[in-house]
Amino acid sequence: MIIIAEFGAQELSNLVWSMATCAYRDDPLMAAISSSSIAHIAQCKSQELANTSWAFATMKVDDRPLFDALAAQSMITIPSAEPRHLSGTVWAFATLAILHRPLLEAMSAAVQAQISAGIFGARALSNTAWAMATLAWLDAPLMTAIAAASLSSIGDTAFRSQELANTAWAYATLAVSNEPLRAALAAQSQVTLYGQFRAQELANTAWAYAILACSDEPLLQSLASASLPSIAQF
């Protein structure tokens, strides 16, 4: 534990990221990493902030002083953040149900700018939409931008079953109706349902279309057929 005092921002971030990746949780060590990370927060770049946020969220460690510090520094480093840093950070806050309004507002502006620049990929789009819906944060301009960007990339291999299900779930949860996006998600879901969708993704997709009061017969039939072999996992 004493050696933690010798760690800098990057070492702390790498350590806690490795722990989360290996699913190894040591609460005294996490507390020490948190304390030291707060002390070094001004040295953190967007990658360290995103990795630390992700690690604590993945291990379900809700450390509010740390996340307050991460939010404050994230708002400073947003101009240099990559799409995965932005989406990863907002995903972490949503996973722990931490609604930090100033951070969400800053993240929304940055995400929309990166979408306009054409650099926000499928996973980042899906994770951001999922996070906003999980936090019940309806930002209409952001959701419109995510829908437009998703429409242009739904056919890509990067838009996999998880991205399709999470996007459909997010728009349904926020009660945002976007018919072109709905139709595109339904069409692509039918292509990728078999052998790719897990039980939760099948259930989330069915739920989303029910909430949106959408009767897409071909999709519903495909969902039913794909669910049969996986029903024991439900």
Side-chain angles (χ1 to χ4, degrees):
M1 295 287 281
I2 297 175
I3 198 172
I4 285 291
E6 302 174 14
F7 279 42
Q10 184 174 354
E11 290 79 18
L12 289 164
S13 173
N14 287 348
L15 175 60
V16 75
W17 179 89
S18 299
M19 292 171 63
T21 300
C22 294
Y24 176 74
R25 174 169 168 170
D26 181 310
D27 286 344
L29 180 56
M30 296 291 288
I33 291 173
S34 171
S35 178
S36 193
S37 295
I38 292 172
H40 290 86
I41 201 71
Q43 302 168 14
C44 287
K45 295 176 289 188
S46 57
Q47 181 170 355
E48 284 85 56
L49 295 165
N51 286 354
T52 301
S53 300
W54 176 86
F56 274 79
T58 297
M59 291 192 282
K60 301 295 188 288
V61 179
D62 187 347
D63 186 319
R64 292 304 169 102
L66 173 61
F67 274 84
D68 284 344
L70 289 167
Q73 183 65 10
S74 292
M75 287 188 284
I76 294 172
T77 62
I78 276 177
S80 62
E82 298 177 14
R84 60 194 175 96
H85 302 150
L86 295 173
S87 63
T89 299
V90 74
W91 176 91
F93 276 75
T95 296
L96 292 176
I98 300 174
L99 179 60
H100 193 290
R101 295 175 185 275
L103 176 64
L104 289 178
E105 290 170 354
M107 286 283 184
S108 173
V111 168
Q112 290 180 69
Q114 293 195 0
I115 288 175
S116 296
I119 61 173
F120 220 71
R123 187 172 185 180
L125 290 165
S126 170
N127 283 349
T128 302
W130 178 90
M132 295 300 177
T134 299
L135 291 170
W137 181 268
L138 177 54
D139 182 325
L142 174 61
M143 297 306 290
T144 298
I146 290 175
S150 297
L151 276 169
S152 66
S153 53
I154 277 177
D156 297 345
T157 55
F159 229 102
R160 299 163 300 179
S161 58
Q162 184 175 6
E163 285 73 36
L164 292 166
N166 283 356
T167 302
W169 178 88
Y171 278 80
T173 297
L174 290 172
V176 177
S177 179
N178 185 301
E179 181 57 26
L181 178 63
R182 183 211 63 75
L185 288 170
Q188 188 62 24
S189 293
Q190 290 179 67
V191 172
T192 58
L193 271 174
Y194 298 98
Q196 293 189 34
F197 272 60
R198 296 173 297 175
Q200 183 177 357
E201 292 162 356
L202 290 166
N204 284 353
T205 301
W207 179 89
Y209 281 86
I211 290 296
L212 292 172
C214 171
S215 180
D216 188 312
E217 191 68 23
L219 174 63
L220 295 175
Q221 289 178 351
S222 296
L223 283 168
S225 298
S227 295
L228 278 173
S230 306
I231 205 71
Q233 302 171 28
F234 278 67

